Amino acid sequence: AHSRRASYPVPALPAEESYLYFAFGANTLPSTMTRVRSVTPLAQPFVAKAYQWELRFEVPGAPFVEPGFATIVERRDDDDDDDDDDVPNYVSGVVWTLSKDDWERVQATETGYVVTPIDVVTDLGREKKQVLTLVWPRQRCRARLQPSKRYLSIIREGAQQFNMDLEWRTYLAEKVRAYDPSANEARSLGAALYAVTAATLAPLTIPLVVMSGGRNGDVGDAVTNITWDIWHDNVAQPLLKTSGGMDDDG
């Protein structure tokens, strides 16, 4: 049912300055790029693999609601992970050809991520290309978070629309576990408490931006410290006896 790859109208001639952007999360879904990000690709997007990289959901989001967002982590020889046998030795994604303005627009919507050049291999033709991607700084990752059902469904749909390899689609469908805030009453209560807490703390982000001079990393670290290290780890999780970021058996 998903044998046809997505196809889009593109300009007749590419812009003089263009950027190859490797997307691996929600930006693999065409509607996210064209409707949400409001970008117009300069060429047909194509599927590629980044070997020796791993997809992880370690970008801290909202406890009990949207716990983890996607990043990729370079595999190292000293990585000790019991689940490596279940994880492909690559990340499959979509390469978008973007104008300078559209590339800057994408970066602006992905606050806190760092532009990182990596090598990928195209699925069609097995051609090696150097591209740009957006990676969350390792020191700011929070390990073992899970994506929400909503977020994971977007990534799965992107993989389906581009007819990525069966191995990758199976991995996303069967091995990546989504966090379900409605799984039990404690989680539902945690989501409600977070909504109240977030609304209360929202005004604090303005002085944080001012004090940081607008540096996204500083603001993000401060918000993460408040929402996860303080509120989740020391208040919500002990009170509710359940995690707001991963399955309790995880």
Side-chain angles (χ1 to χ4, degrees), residues 12 131 141 164 175 208:
V131 298
C141 288
M164 293 183 188
K175 301 299 182 181
L208 285 174

Side-chain angles (χ1 to χ4, degrees), residues 38-62:
S38 299
V39 305
T40 302
L42 299 178
Q44 295 293 341
F46 56 89
V47 176
K49 293 183 178 72
Y51 286 94
Q52 297 307 314
W53 288 80
E54 181 180 337
L55 178 68
R56 294 189 187 176
F57 297 91
E58 297 185 342
V59 181

Side-chain angles (χ1 to χ4, degrees), residues 191-210:
L193 289 174
Y194 174 77
V196 174
T197 302
T200 303
L201 295 177
L204 294 178
T205 60
I206 297 176
L208 285 174
V209 172
V210 174

Side-chain angles (χ1 to χ4, degrees), residues 72-233:
I72 58 174
V73 176
E74 191 168 14
R75 287 173 172 265
R76 300 179 302 197
D77 293 337
D78 59 348
D79 279 344
D80 183 18
D81 192 333
D82 295 335
D83 297 327
D84 269 354
D85 290 342
D86 295 330
V87 179
N89 69 335
Y90 61 86
V91 172
S92 192
V94 177
V95 177
W96 300 91
T97 305
L98 304 178
S99 67
K100 183 175 184 292
D101 287 345
D102 279 350
W103 172 228
E104 291 176 349
R105 185 175 294 112
V106 169
Q107 292 179 69
T109 64
E110 301 289 359
T111 304
Y113 284 83
V114 176
V115 176
T116 306
I118 64 171
D119 292 326
V120 299
V121 178
T122 64
D123 276 20
L124 185 63
R126 301 288 299 171
E127 182 182 354
K128 185 176 180 180
K129 291 181 177 289
Q130 186 172 76
V131 298
L132 298 175
T133 193
L134 296 169
V135 176
W136 195 256
R138 191 75 180 263
Q139 69 273 17
R140 294 173 56 205
C141 288
R142 185 179 174 97
R144 303 181 70 82
L145 292 177
Q146 290 175 282
S148 68
K149 281 187 172 181
R150 180 204 68 83
Y151 183 61
L152 182 56
S153 69
I154 293 173
I155 300 174
R156 288 170 174 168
E157 179 60 24
Q160 291 283 5
Q161 287 197 23
F162 280 99
N163 195 29
M164 293 183 188
D165 283 356
L166 179 60
E167 179 187 37
W168 184 253
R169 287 182 281 129
T170 301
Y171 169 67
L172 292 176
E174 299 181 2
K175 301 299 182 181
V176 180
R177 297 164 63 184
Y179 181 87
D180 183 3
S182 62
N184 55 53
E185 290 185 5
R187 287 188 180 184
S188 297
L189 179 57
L193 289 174
Y194 174 77
V196 174
T197 302
T200 303
L201 295 177
L204 294 178
T205 60
I206 297 176
L208 285 174
V209 172
V210 174
M211 288 186 293
S212 70
R215 293 185 297 274
N216 292 330
D218 292 347
V219 176
D221 287 345
V223 172
T224 297
N225 181 57
I226 293 171
T227 57
W228 284 98
D229 300 340
I230 298 176
W231 182 80
H232 175 267
D233 294 352

Side-chain angles (χ1 to χ4, degrees), residues 3-24:
S3 59
R4 296 181 62 188
R5 296 186 186 275
S7 180
Y8 310 93
V10 296
L13 295 173
E16 290 185 6
E17 187 173 13
S18 61
Y19 297 80
L20 294 178
Y21 161 53
F22 178 75
F24 49 79

